[in-house]
Amino acid sequence: MPVFISYSHADREVVHQLAAHLVKNNANVWVDSWKLNVGDSILNKVQWAIQDSSALLIVLSKSSTQSEWCKKELSAGLLREVEEKRVVVLPVLIEDCEIPMFLRDKMYADMRRDFNSGLQSILDAISRITNSYQGRIAEDDANEDWAEDWGFTDDLFHLRFTIVSTPKSLPMTFLTQVYVFCNSLATKRYRQYEEAGLDWFGRANIAEALFDLGDNEDYRVILGSQFPQELRLTIADPKIGMRYDITAECRKLGGDNGKDQIINISNYLKCIREYVHSVSRQPTQEEIGKMREIMVRPLDA
């Protein structure tokens, strides 16, 4: 889900500068002047965006604190905080002004004198709710915490998802690690994205190939003891020679109820994909152009 930016159009210049810096740091943002087209219902679009956002950045200035529209957006955000019992509203102060009463006990990002310091405060705040590399999947019967990391081994790139599932009705924990190992050509493609400053997109492409497995097949592992169980798969494109070798390792820890346990790896991947898609930003037109150039570039050159 995106971060909604509430602001007065009198502050358009500084807000667009802020939004551009957030996008450069891979934040997914919603700004009305970027999202609304001629003929759109402004009220409906804004209401939907506020309700569907992961957080509201409230840009505070003399103009915005006097704006009736901004006051309504703030009220909607504060109402969500009460209903969802979590932090939704993130104040950003861009000039001296009278802070609304219901925001006076909140810490705010201060951009009045140091733009970069204020920007870092915002990035730190939204990373806790829009981080596309780790999260929690809250199910009725379990909490599943996951994180993504990556690196190189013998000059070959790999991606890893680690999932820890804690059932509420069992005295045990399940640990699952899913690795995607790239061959030399897949690694070369990733390097091309990395050199173009699009490493995040290169990783997203690899992750999407893994997520597709969860959509197309039902992969499960049966755990009958404390010993880990492995599942090995391969994704290959014979036309260009790229290959991903996938290894999923699952094990159970903690108390033993004497019964076999089934780990649904496909469901893990589906849930992670949904979350990642909800918080990830769309590439800019400039980035799309770079991606297209890389995609048609031969790998054997």
Side-chain angles (χ1 to χ4, degrees), residues 150-164:
W150 55 85
F152 292 88
T153 303
D154 296 329
D155 291 328
L156 295 178
F157 185 72
H158 68 265
L159 198 67
R160 175 175 64 176
F161 286 93
T162 300
I163 305 112
V164 178

Side-chain angles (χ1 to χ4, degrees), residues 205-217:
N205 267 355
I206 297 169
E208 278 299 310
L210 174 64
F211 295 152
D212 282 343
L213 287 179
D215 276 348
N216 297 330
E217 298 289 344

Side-chain angles (χ1 to χ4, degrees), residues 19-43:
H21 277 81
L22 293 177
V23 169
K24 287 179 181 178
N25 284 274
N26 289 330
N28 184 11
V29 300
W30 198 98
V31 182
D32 59 357
S33 57
W34 291 3
K35 298 294 185 178
L36 296 177
N37 298 309
V38 173
D40 285 344
S41 168
I42 297 175
L43 182 60

Side-chain angles (χ1 to χ4, degrees), residues 133-299:
Y133 299 122
Q134 67 182 73
R136 166 168 286 190
I137 303 165
E139 304 281 5
D140 291 338
D141 58 346
N143 285 325
E144 293 155 0
D145 294 326
W146 65 272
E148 175 188 355
D149 60 270
W150 55 85
F152 292 88
T153 303
D154 296 329
D155 291 328
L156 295 178
F157 185 72
H158 68 265
L159 198 67
R160 175 175 64 176
F161 286 93
T162 300
I163 305 112
V164 178
S165 178
T166 309
K168 299 176 182 178
S169 58
L170 296 174
M172 62 186 69
T173 298
F174 302 108
L175 172 64
T176 300
Q177 291 186 299
V178 183
Y179 288 87
V180 183
F181 298 101
C182 298
N183 71 349
S184 59
L185 290 180
T187 297
K188 184 174 182 180
R189 179 66 83 204
Y190 176 77
R191 292 280 196 190
Q192 291 173 344
Y193 285 119
E194 188 177 45
E195 291 166 1
L198 297 170
D199 51 314
W200 62 273
F201 182 77
R203 292 191 296 272
N205 267 355
I206 297 169
E208 278 299 310
L210 174 64
F211 295 152
D212 282 343
L213 287 179
D215 276 348
N216 297 330
E217 298 289 344
D218 189 14
Y219 295 108
R220 303 181 184 223
V221 172
I222 298 176
L223 301 178
S225 70
Q226 77 276 20
F227 291 98
Q229 298 297 312
E230 280 191 356
L231 181 68
R232 294 180 180 271
L233 304 162
T234 297
I235 304 173
D237 186 338
K239 293 182 179 179
I240 59 177
M242 287 175 53
R243 189 182 75 246
Y244 303 134
D245 293 314
I246 299 168
T247 299
E249 182 181 276
C250 307
R251 67 183 306 168
K252 59 180 178 177
L253 312 168
D256 187 5
N257 62 358
K259 299 179 180 178
D260 291 350
Q261 306 297 325
I262 298 176
I263 302 299
N264 190 334
I265 297 174
S266 293
N267 188 60
Y268 285 163
L269 297 178
K270 289 176 183 177
C271 290
I272 293 173
R273 178 186 229 169
E274 289 176 4
Y275 174 82
V276 170
H277 284 185
S278 73
V279 302
S280 297
R281 71 173 178 87
Q282 295 299 310
T284 64
Q285 289 300 314
E286 180 183 358
E287 289 172 333
I288 291 174
K290 291 181 180 179
M291 292 171 190
R292 288 173 176 166
E293 290 178 5
I294 291 172
M295 289 175 182
V296 299
R297 193 180 302 169
L299 284 169

